[in-house]
Amino acid sequence: MLKKIKGQTVQDGAGVKLNRTIAIPSLDYADPFFLLDEFRSDNKDDYIAGFPMHPHRGIETLTYMVEGSFIHRDSQGNEGSLQAGEVQWMTAGKGILHEEMPAMEDSHLWGYQIWINLPANLKMVKPKYRHIKSEDIPVVHKDGVDVKIISGAYDKVNGPVQSYYPITYLDVRLQNENGVFTKELQGTNLIYVHSGELSVHSGDEALAAGAGSLVIVEGGSEVQVTGYQAGFLFLAGEPINEPVARYGPFVMNTPEEIRQAFEDYGSGKLA
């Protein structure tokens, strides 16, 4: 089954304008993914305020910068400049505070943040941060399709992000009218269209989708995507299938754990 979700324009952080397709009324979450935001604008007023220091617990976050740059700082002493083509992978685990602020005052900013849930036995692991350079992220060029492998594998090539809970994260560009992206399916499978128009095929179904929309692929053994000069993110992961309690930046298993997270944050124990 193919289902299309229309992105919702929201503001987060100190007023950053985003297109959000997970964590909205039409799609609360897609286990194990609990957030998918695209920030993309030529107007500095849409992003200049950034994401000042804020907490997380119980998840991993991946920030992927396509154009522009962000400065990351966190309560573990990590700091780095996230440049075009690079990825910031952060395991919040038992708790961390971090901020992401734009490192430029004008021109184009384009990137993504996803949240990956952690199973109960990993919710309180030690926080971890890794900055992955563009040259360390492989790209497969095959039959008119370019596939940047951030995590997981494609065409027997592995990406550099080895998250606690394994996922597949690809940035796919269809360069000509003959290009066809084919991928086996696993658990939860998502296609976020970021450029152009494309067609998603699975089994006997086909669905057209344009930039800013998310396609959920359920059932079947593989998916095929076609389109001319179109691009998309492909995300996949096995559902964790555990109880979920979420409030703001915390994703836990019970309301009691959420209350504890807020208490720990208020008392300075979170990080």
Side-chain angles (χ1 to χ4, degrees), residues 87-147:
V87 172
Q88 167 199 292
W89 162 35
M90 187 184 78
T91 303
K94 65 180 181 180
I96 196 169
L97 310 180
H98 79 144
E99 68 176 9
E100 295 163 302
M101 304 298 290
M104 15 81 84
E105 294 185 355
D106 52 29
S107 74
H108 195 56
L109 185 74
W110 178 13
Y112 300 91
Q113 184 168 107
I114 67 170
W115 291 5
I116 309 162
N117 195 19
L118 288 170
N121 66 322
L122 294 175
K123 288 284 189 190
M124 300 296 283
V125 296
K126 183 179 179 180
K128 183 178 180 180
Y129 173 80
R130 185 178 175 194
H131 185 136
I132 301 167
K133 298 289 188 178
S134 180
E135 58 266 27
D136 295 325
I137 304 175
V139 179
V140 172
H141 307 279
K142 184 178 181 181
D143 301 329
V145 181
D146 295 341
V147 181

Side-chain angles (χ1 to χ4, degrees), residues 213-254:
S213 58
L214 180 74
V215 178
I216 303 172
V217 186
E218 298 177 332
S221 59
E222 71 173 29
V223 65
Q224 291 187 327
V225 185
T226 59
Y228 177 48
Q229 293 186 343
F232 59 95
L233 303 181
F234 178 82
L235 299 170
E238 295 295 336
I240 294 174
N241 291 322
E242 291 181 350
V244 171
R246 177 175 64 186
Y247 195 94
F250 306 131
V251 181
M252 303 300 290
N253 295 105
T254 68

Side-chain angles (χ1 to χ4, degrees), residues 61-82:
T61 71
L62 264 70
T63 304
Y64 167 38
M65 189 66 63
V66 182
E67 297 178 10
S69 58
F70 264 164
I71 297 293
H72 166 93
R73 298 182 182 90
D74 66 40
S75 54
Q76 300 292 310
N78 299 300
E79 181 174 340
S81 177
L82 187 64

